[in-house]
Amino acid sequence: MDIALIALDLDGTLLDGQKRLTPRNRRALERAAAKGIRVVPCTGRFYRGMPAVIRDLPFVRYVITMNGAEVLDVTRDRPLYRAEIAPSEFEPLFDYMDTLPVIYDCYQDGWGWMDRRFYDGLEEFMAGQDELDMATSLRTPVDDFRGTLRRRNMPIQKTQMFFRLDDLERRDRELERIAARFPNLAVSAAIYNNIEINSREAQKGRALRELCAVLGLRPEQAMAFGDGLNDVSMLRDAGVGVAMANASAAVRAAADRVAPSNEEDGVACVIEELLDGCAGAGA
């Protein structure tokens, strides 16, 4: 199998439930990199919001961030691809979100921003202290969210809304409604109680294709791993799409195969099989 690039979602895929890179998964990535295979983290987070254990991997040069809003060459700190939402597009979206019982934020220029009234209420929308700590550490609260964005006069890379944990049926309904109401935007989800919205051109699959073109690879030479709705385009566009056992039925249906869960080192299981079965992988 001619696999030259492995694209990996992080939360729910490469990382375990405690957001850790397990020793077995790390060894599998090291083996793949030693074979010349590109290892590319692909996340809904911005680069600075990625866990240090991933950012510090010495063999990672390229990352796909914010669901495909940016492809970054981290060794040169240079974006290779960007797809953002213009102010004329995100203002009507925020108007609509203001009618829902949700809190929301946005990523702009590689950082998270949130209205202080939402930031102060984050605890009601997070399942535990770890989630709350991560959410608060990666966002700057501002007193006038909309006014701040207008003054900055810049596009945004992603916006997401969070639903209360006892209102998840509404989340499922809004996934369809928002996609129909804003057909020029990409609507997905990464965790059980959020909706993530990007430019239509900001999808992990599109970003993966753009990176492959830069590297002189065919998308068929990529293997992609994921568990969330924001991973579906990547699983479909890669030569081999691998869904985790903990993924939803819709995500598993988009994949070529299903790996053991992220709690069972599913990524390592598949990479080990690839490397042990194909001595020339990545050559």
Side-chain angles (χ1 to χ4, degrees):
M1 188 182 300
D2 182 24
I3 297 298
L5 185 153
I6 296 176
L8 299 140
D9 173 57
L10 299 182
D11 301 301
T13 300
L14 178 61
L15 304 178
D16 67 12
Q18 302 301 312
K19 311 296 185 184
R20 299 173 302 193
L21 177 63
T22 66
R24 184 179 176 188
N25 276 348
R26 183 182 181 115
R27 287 194 299 270
L29 299 185
E30 290 171 343
R31 287 186 62 197
K35 289 283 189 180
I37 299 175
R38 297 281 190 182
V39 174
V40 181
C42 303
T43 179
R45 307 190 198 195
F46 48 87
Y47 179 64
R48 286 183 288 170
M50 291 169 53
V53 69
I54 302 298
R55 287 187 281 114
D56 292 343
L57 291 172
F59 45 80
V60 169
R61 176 170 179 176
Y62 304 101
V63 296
I64 293 172
T65 64
M66 295 170 287
N67 294 336
E70 183 173 73
V71 179
L72 184 66
D73 179 341
V74 299
T75 63
R76 299 182 178 179
D77 192 25
R78 181 169 66 93
L80 303 178
Y81 175 74
R82 275 187 171 175
E84 302 174 321
I85 305 175
S88 60
E89 293 180 287
F90 65 65
E91 287 278 6
L93 179 59
F94 291 153
D95 288 340
Y96 180 72
M97 288 194 286
D98 280 335
T99 70
L100 301 175
V102 301
I103 62 174
Y104 59 86
D105 62 13
C106 79
Y107 293 170
Q108 186 183 64
D109 198 27
W111 188 252
W113 302 88
M114 179 175 264
D115 195 293
R116 190 176 303 278
R117 63 194 169 99
F118 294 153
Y119 186 89
D120 291 342
L122 266 167
E123 184 174 3
E124 300 177 33
F125 295 81
M126 300 291 124
Q129 190 62 44
D130 288 344
E131 285 191 12
L132 179 61
D133 290 345
M134 184 172 71
T136 54
S137 67
L138 299 179
R139 291 159 178 81
T140 295
V142 292
D143 293 325
D144 180 10
F145 177 76
R146 303 277 290 268
T148 298
L149 295 184
R150 292 188 188 105
R151 288 189 294 274
R152 289 172 63 85
N153 193 31
M154 298 170 61
I156 64 172
Q157 293 154 316
K158 186 179 84 168
T159 181
Q160 63 184 325
M161 66 187 82
F162 295 92
F163 293 75
R164 295 184 186 276
L165 303 180
D166 60 357
D167 199 18
L168 299 185
E169 289 185 4
R170 186 191 300 270
R171 194 292 296 259
D172 294 340
R173 293 194 302 270
E174 288 299 332
L175 271 170
E176 297 183 4
R177 289 176 179 173
I178 294 173
R181 191 181 186 99
F182 300 95
N184 293 326
L185 298 175
V187 181
S188 63
I191 59 175
Y192 54 91
N193 72 324
N194 85 337
I195 292 178
E196 304 193 353
I197 302 168
N198 291 84
S199 161
R200 174 61 64 183
E201 304 305 316
Q203 299 187 53
K204 289 186 180 183
R206 171 66 183 269
L208 176 61
R209 296 198 309 272
E210 294 287 342
L211 178 58
C212 284
V214 169
L215 298 177
L217 302 175
R218 304 184 312 278
E220 292 80 8
Q221 292 177 278
M223 174 180 282
F225 293 80
D227 75 298
L229 292 176
N230 60 341
D231 298 317
V232 166
S233 64
M234 179 172 69
L235 299 183
R236 288 176 173 163
D237 287 355
V240 181
V242 184
M244 312 307 291
N246 49 287
S248 68
V251 177
R252 295 197 303 270
D256 298 298
R257 61 175 296 181
V258 176
S261 77
N262 67 314
E263 297 287 4
E264 302 170 288
D265 291 328
V267 166
C269 292
V270 175
I271 293 178
E272 290 165 359
E273 178 185 313
L274 169 71
L275 298 178
D276 294 337
C278 306

